[in-house]
């Protein structure tokens, strides 16, 4: 078998929202199709991938470096031992040939996007859900199809008042979520507190709020917020300072006893390892949000999970950023603590297969081959236009 083509298209996922650092008025993503010559149900198997929100489409890197490397490689060098399927680790090594270490910037997003499509193809060729394949190859053999999800929103919308914020959050509760997230750091502390209290005022017992500063704060501000946020029983306090400022994160732990979360902007195992070594994160309560779609894909994420294990961290402390089905499959296959979800944003790319309902903040993954994109009609329509044209 061989890869016949790799196609990329850059799509808008823009909206007028902003967090403490960026607005999303020009946000895009790359959608990738990896076309193989393997025939299933009378059609070539095509794997699909896309990158998460927050970084932009990676078309030029994919077209200039990663696509040609794969297509120019000897087809057999990309296969597993059976010779009947791709080996994602070999494809990854091929993409990363002649790439120096460090400086993980945008290329990790390009590689992560192609890697997602490779895993989708591999699981489809095996005729299994990706979560099943992962549980068999790297997990305990049995996936856990019920995955915790929380609703991320609470962005700064133009003109949104407190009532509109409450309505937004109520909408998530009505759809079955028990944990909701809102942004902080995009206004004054006093305004943020009004917004936090507005949300808390509508949360029933058993439901929780997480807050996300998107790396905006210096140490002084992060600590100021920590002191005030300590009065609430928050689900977590996320990305207070710059993602690479491990000393800030470590110092913050001296001022905030509740759970903290970070990692969505760490794009390699090595960066994640530095967070674990130097960031003062606490394995008994904190959360790790590394997102494979931004950070060299699942091949690298497997290395990150191994690194975590060596440092005494359970995969159940990981709740990835990004709200995509790839991380849902990894969560189900390898026992992560859950996944992010953006019920009202970044469509059609985020979310779940059609008909999957959130109940008590849990989704149950259906048995679809691959990652499961074909189960979401609006998403699959976009994918099919690229991959089956
Ligand atoms: O607003 C963003 O860039 C997304 C984000 O931080 C998250 O989902 O945690
Ligand atoms: Mg975040």
């Amino acid at each position: 078998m061989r890869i016949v083509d790799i196609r990329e298209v850059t799509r808008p996922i823009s909206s007028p929202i902003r967090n403490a650092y960026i607005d999303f008025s020009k946000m895009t993503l790359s959608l990738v199709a990896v076309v193989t010559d393997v025939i299933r149900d009378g059609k070539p198997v095509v794997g699909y991938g896309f990158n998460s929100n927050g970084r932009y489409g990676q078309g030029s890197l994919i077209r200039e470096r990663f696509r040609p490397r794969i297509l120019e490689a000897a087809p057999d060098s990309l296969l597993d031992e059976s010779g009947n399927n791709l080996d994602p680790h070999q494809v990854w090594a091929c993409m990363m040939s002649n790439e120096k270490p460090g400086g993980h910037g945008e290329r990790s997003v390009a590689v992560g996007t192609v890697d997602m499509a490779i895993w989708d193809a591999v699981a489809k060729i095996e005729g299994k859900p990706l979560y099943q394949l992962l549980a068999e190859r790297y997990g305990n053999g049995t996936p856990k199809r019920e995955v915790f999800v929380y609703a991320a929103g609470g962005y700064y919308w133009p003109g949104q008042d407190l009532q509109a914020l409450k309505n937004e959050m109520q909408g998530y509760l009505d759809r079955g979520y028990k944990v909701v997230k809102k942004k902080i750091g995009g206004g004054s502390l006093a305004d943020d507190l009004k917004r936090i209290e507005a949300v808390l005022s509508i949360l029933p017992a058993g439901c929780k709020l997480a807050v996300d500063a998107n790396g905006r704060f210096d140490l002084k501000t992060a600590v100021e917020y920590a002191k005030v946020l300590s009065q609430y029983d928050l689900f977590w306090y996320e990305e207070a300072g710059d993602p690479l400022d491990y000393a800030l994160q470590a110092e913050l732990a001296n001022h905030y006893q509740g759970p903290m979360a970070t990692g969505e902007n760490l794009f390699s195992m090595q960066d994640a390892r530095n967070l674990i070594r130097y960031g003062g994160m606490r394995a008994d309560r904190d959360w790790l949000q590394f997102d494979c779609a931004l950070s060299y894909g699942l091949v690298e994420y497997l290395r990150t999970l191994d690194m975590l294990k060596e440092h005494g961290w359970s995969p159940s402390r990981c709740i990835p950023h990004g709200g995509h089905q790839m991380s849902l499959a990894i969560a189900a296959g390898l026992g992560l603590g859950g996944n992010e979800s953006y019920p009202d944003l970044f469509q059609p790319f985020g979310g779940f297969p059609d008909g999957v309902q959130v109940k008590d903040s849990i989704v149950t993954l259906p048995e679809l081959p691959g990652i499961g994109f074909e189960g979401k009609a609006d998403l699959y329509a976009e994918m099919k236009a690229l991959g089956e044209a």
Side-chain angles (χ1 to χ4, degrees), residues 127-378:
K128 293 178 182 169
L130 179 61
Y131 59 73
Q132 182 71 38
L133 180 138
L134 293 179
E136 289 168 8
R137 288 193 189 176
Y138 308 103
N140 67 9
T142 312
K144 187 166 166 283
R145 285 170 52 202
E146 298 80 28
V147 179
F148 165 76
V149 287
Y150 72 93
Y155 282 82
Y156 298 96
W157 287 85
Q160 190 193 49
D161 62 12
L162 293 180
Q163 187 55 49
L165 173 64
K166 286 199 258 187
N167 294 346
E168 178 194 334
M169 294 291 159
Q170 187 62 48
Y172 304 144
L173 300 174
D174 293 345
R175 277 172 273 179
Y177 292 93
K178 296 185 78 170
V179 176
V180 296
K181 184 163 95 181
K182 72 174 289 304
K183 298 300 178 182
I184 58 171
S188 67
L189 174 57
D191 282 346
D192 275 342
L193 291 183
K194 281 190 204 135
R195 289 167 58 82
I196 288 172
E197 295 202 353
V199 177
L200 292 176
S201 75
I202 64 154
L203 290 189
C207 293
K208 285 206 170 182
L209 172 67
V211 298
D212 183 0
N214 284 96
R216 179 79 271 180
F217 301 150
D218 59 11
L219 179 60
K220 183 168 164 287
T221 314
V223 169
E224 216 167 83
Y225 268 75
K227 287 188 177 147
V228 182
L229 295 177
S230 293
Q231 69 187 295
Y232 309 113
D233 180 22
L234 296 175
F235 191 72
W236 69 45
Y237 173 19
E238 175 177 337
E239 222 184 14
D242 187 276
L244 292 166
D245 191 342
Y246 305 122
L248 180 154
Q249 187 63 44
E251 175 59 22
L252 198 53
N254 296 323
H255 303 271
Y256 194 76
Q257 298 312 307
M260 292 193 279
T262 193
E264 71 177 65
N265 290 302
L266 298 182
F267 288 173
S268 65
M269 183 281 286
Q270 291 86 349
D271 285 343
R273 189 173 60 194
N274 279 338
L275 175 71
I276 298 302
R277 281 176 174 165
Y278 308 118
M281 298 291 281
R282 302 155 299 186
D284 64 344
R285 77 195 82 162
D286 291 331
W287 300 96
L288 304 170
Q289 300 173 294
F290 318 123
D291 175 355
C292 66
L294 300 178
S295 54
Y296 292 120
L298 173 55
V299 168
E300 181 82 352
Y301 196 76
L302 290 168
R303 296 182 189 123
T304 298
L305 291 175
D306 284 345
M307 175 279 291
L308 290 176
K309 199 167 153 206
E310 280 167 27
H311 287 79
W313 282 75
S314 159
S316 67
R317 300 312 303 173
C318 296
I319 301 185
H321 164 272
H324 47 76
Q325 290 185 67
M326 178 71 176
S327 284
L328 272 184
I330 299 172
L334 301 180
L336 307 187
N339 196 29
E340 183 167 22
S341 157
Y342 306 94
D344 292 335
L345 295 167
F346 313 125
Q347 290 303 321
F349 294 92
F352 316 117
D354 298 332
V356 170
Q357 302 282 333
V358 182
K359 190 160 180 292
D360 291 333
S361 254
I362 303 282
V363 288
T364 302
L365 302 195
E367 295 194 51
L368 295 163
I371 296 172
F373 298 134
E374 284 73 6
K376 189 169 189 289
D378 55 0

